[in-house]
Amino acid sequence: PGAPAVGWIAFLEDQVRVTQGDLSTYTSAVGSARQFCPVCGTGLFFRNAEFLPGVVDVQSATLDNAAEEAPGAHIQVAEMLPWFDRLGDLPRFERFPSGD
C-alpha cells in the first residue's frame, strides 16, 4: 500500500546483512514484515516466511547500483490501478514543472 508500484529485488536470507544503523519493523496480521530506516522512513526490506520462505525482498531503488538492476517482470498485478499502463504516455519533466 502507498504506491502504485515499488521495485523489489529478491535475495536469499543469507545474502542480506545490514552493516550499519538500525531497522524498524512493522509486522502485519498476515505475517508480512516490512523493515525501514527509523530515521528517514525509507522502506528497505519485505519478508513473509509463509509465502516467500528464506527470501528477502529489497527495495531495488535503495541499492548502490540501482540503475544496473533492471526489472525482469511485473508481479502482483491483480489489483493494478487501471491507469498504470498509460504512464509512459504522460509528459516528463526532469524536475518540477515551472507552472507557466
Side-chain angles (χ1 to χ4, degrees):
V6 176
W8 298 97
I9 187 168
F11 291 94
L12 296 176
E13 189 75 46
D14 64 355
Q15 294 176 301
V16 177
R17 66 186 166 96
V18 176
T19 60
Q20 65 182 21
D22 296 314
L23 296 172
S24 288
T25 302
Y26 171 78
T27 303
S28 73
V30 295
S32 295
R34 298 175 188 279
Q35 293 183 295
F36 55 95
C37 173
V39 176
C40 70
T42 297
L44 299 167
F45 308 118
F46 173 85
R47 292 175 171 88
N48 186 308
E50 181 180 344
F51 295 107
L52 300 167
V55 173
V56 179
D57 280 337
V58 177
Q59 285 198 23
S60 59
T62 65
L63 298 174
D64 291 338
N65 60 345
E68 298 172 16
E69 302 294 341
H74 290 267
I75 301 173
Q76 294 288 80
V77 298
E79 296 164 351
M80 183 174 69
L81 296 169
W83 47 259
F84 192 79
D85 281 334
R86 298 187 313 271
L87 292 178
D89 298 335
L90 296 175
R92 295 174 184 242
F93 303 92
E94 287 188 28
R95 302 282 183 244
F96 286 105
S98 66
D100 294 334

